[in-house]
Amino acid sequence: MPASESPAEQPDAHDQTLIVDNAVSLTLGSDSLSVVDDRTSRKSDRSCCGLCKKTKTKTTHAISLYNVLDAEVTPSSLAITYAEHSTKNDVSVTGLHYPLTEKVKPVAELWVKKLLEMAYGTAQRRKRLKVLINPFGGKGSASNLYKTYAAPILAAACCQVDVQTTEYRGHAIKIAEHLDLDAYDAIICCSGDGLPYEVFNGLGKRPNGREALAKMAVALLPCGSGNGMTWNCLGTESVSVATLAIVKALRTPLDLVSVTQKNSRTLSFLSQSFGIVADSDLGTDNVRWMGAQRFTYGFLVRLMQRTIYPCDLAIKVEMNDKKAIKDHYRAYASQEYDPLADRIRVEATSQSPALPELEYGTVEDELPKDWEIIPGQNMGNFYSGNMAIMSKDTNFFPASLPNDGLMDIVTIDGTVSRTTSLKMMTEIPEGRFFDMPDVAIRKARAYRLVPHDKDGYISIDGEKVPFEAFQCEIHQGLGTVLSKSGHMYEAEGPK
């Protein structure tokens, strides 16, 4: 090195280390930023009557690249903002600031570019977000949760944010139906799973519904009771951690399910239930103050009554062997995330922008002859999942996949003993529910269910629909969500 050049003007051979002022070095590792600060600081010396003296202190710490939100070289300094844990379950924004000389600035600008490339990978930076807040969701705290835990992180990540509060049930449908698709990259729902349900249906109501659902990603900040979408896509119940995950999230194709009843057609992203699960969900509105615990309460009350839910059930079965389902899951999981495939998917929708036609017709049409008839006279629980986790600690469908064109259907006979039913509840969080002999699991493309009773509950994504015959069929990769992996749910697969 020529005598006229100082170390501060030179990056290392691979441009991974930036030496700020001969006392501070910032080094990019494969997954973290290492900070070594050897600057002089002032500390009090009690042996010197309280007078201060300069001491050398060396500090070293690592910052996960996943937590880096933004970095820039200003006219006089280098600024790096990142999220760090403020409590066990939450992160908050903090930063590093170092003065820069004119000679160091060109090197620092190149280093910052590399830092951001490594911190974001293939994720989009500075996302343009339409934020919808349901002021009545959960316990009515969504607005405060957003302002306290989400807004600072989105601002630090330089996201463009447009916030709107929904005013009535179904308002998000109208918003999504008329939203400027070119103005935003994603719709972020501050609510429970009800608002994403409305958003998907609003996008689907557009004349170019298929195109809108492919272009506009949807994500959920967990401000409700179940928050299934957040658990599956972002793996957390913390608003701040979920916000960080959204900042770093990848666009992910998501299968959506068409649900038909008489002349209506709606879209489902999470689940459809009939029987004890639907009863436990929709039949407990009077104890909504219990939060997520009301589902457990409702389940136990109905279990003690040994209720059965007779129905006619027919399924377009693709797999009903548990080993085959596990093999299918592992084969899918072994694939890698491919952002090019997503771009091709979105571009293809311009050729056929409307919602796809129903391959199997509606519930009003003749039943296809190749569907399997499932005995339903003693049905205890029918549950069809498009995602794995329904709420905290309920990985009900561990073999569920975002984009395999198949829904996972669980049926349980209502005559099983109470002891077995209770064991099923405890085995779900332990991951042993899937292999229980009394649990029938099928991967399917479509099904039809006709209740025998006149009154009861049918739940679509946690929303109550008329208690009457309904038919469902799945559309591979019709919707789009933001997820951490871009490929898999944040749930443990079948063992």
Side-chain angles (χ1 to χ4, degrees), residues 401-449:
L401 294 160
N403 184 33
D404 68 342
L406 298 170
M407 61 185 96
D408 291 37
I409 296 177
V410 169
T411 55
I412 300 172
D413 194 288
T415 62
V416 300
S417 69
R418 291 189 180 96
T419 301
T420 300
S421 296
L422 285 170
K423 187 176 181 182
M424 288 178 181
M425 281 191 67
T426 60
E427 296 292 57
I428 291 172
E430 299 300 323
R432 294 188 291 262
F433 174 80
F434 184 94
D435 287 310
M436 294 184 71
D438 289 302
V439 176
I441 299 179
R442 303 169 178 87
K443 278 193 172 283
R445 297 196 183 278
Y447 68 86
R448 178 181 297 181
L449 191 150

Side-chain angles (χ1 to χ4, degrees), residues 173-328:
I173 296 177
K174 294 290 185 184
I175 293 171
E177 186 178 1
H178 300 289
L179 191 70
D180 182 357
L181 297 180
D182 295 323
Y184 305 98
D185 301 307
I187 299 174
I188 309 302
C189 302
C190 301
S191 64
D193 292 308
L195 223 55
Y197 172 78
E198 292 189 12
V199 167
F200 281 123
N201 278 282
L203 294 172
K205 285 171 66 73
R206 302 167 72 110
N208 63 334
R210 185 203 298 261
E211 185 177 27
L213 287 162
K215 280 186 173 182
M216 187 60 62
V218 181
L220 175 66
L221 287 176
C223 301
S225 299
N227 307 311
M229 176 181 276
T230 310
W231 280 111
N232 285 281
C233 297
L234 308 177
T236 182
E237 64 179 344
S238 163
V239 173
S240 61
V241 174
T243 306
L244 173 61
I246 286 171
V247 167
K248 294 301 181 76
L250 302 170
R251 286 175 48 85
T252 307
L254 178 72
D255 299 340
L256 293 179
V257 175
S258 279
V259 183
T260 62
Q261 286 188 299
K262 292 184 177 176
N263 296 320
S264 72
R265 177 185 181 182
T266 56
L267 295 174
S268 167
F269 75 92
L270 181 63
S271 65
Q272 311 92 48
S273 63
F274 166 84
I276 194 168
V277 168
D279 257 14
S280 302
D281 181 2
L282 300 176
T284 56
D285 269 354
N286 60 315
V287 289
R288 213 170 244 283
W289 55 268
M290 296 177 68
Q293 297 303 316
R294 69 187 176 91
F295 303 122
T296 302
Y297 165 80
F299 185 91
L300 292 174
V301 168
R302 283 149 184 81
L303 180 62
M304 292 302 104
Q305 297 170 350
R306 282 292 283 278
T307 308
I308 62 171
Y309 305 82
C311 65
D312 294 329
L313 177 62
I315 304 177
K316 174 63 175 173
V317 178
E318 292 298 317
M319 290 176 229
N320 59 8
D321 177 76
K322 291 183 179 180
K323 182 181 182 303
I325 292 173
K326 290 179 181 180
D327 290 343
H328 170 78

Side-chain angles (χ1 to χ4, degrees), residues 13-77:
H14 298 92
D15 296 328
Q16 299 294 99
T17 298
L18 176 67
I19 300 175
V20 178
D21 63 359
N22 290 328
V24 176
S25 66
L26 309 173
T27 301
L28 299 175
S30 59
D31 58 6
S32 65
L33 166 62
S34 178
V35 180
V36 178
D37 191 340
D38 197 24
R39 291 178 293 181
T40 298
S41 63
R42 286 188 176 270
K43 288 193 174 182
S44 64
D45 184 352
R46 293 182 181 178
S47 65
C48 191
C49 302
L51 296 177
C52 293
K53 72 173 184 178
K54 293 184 178 181
T55 60
K56 280 278 189 176
T57 59
K58 184 174 183 178
T59 61
T60 303
H61 67 282
I63 301 167
S64 170
L65 292 177
Y66 177 83
N67 287 35
V68 173
L69 300 170
D70 195 39
E72 65 172 339
V73 175
T74 70
S76 60
S77 65

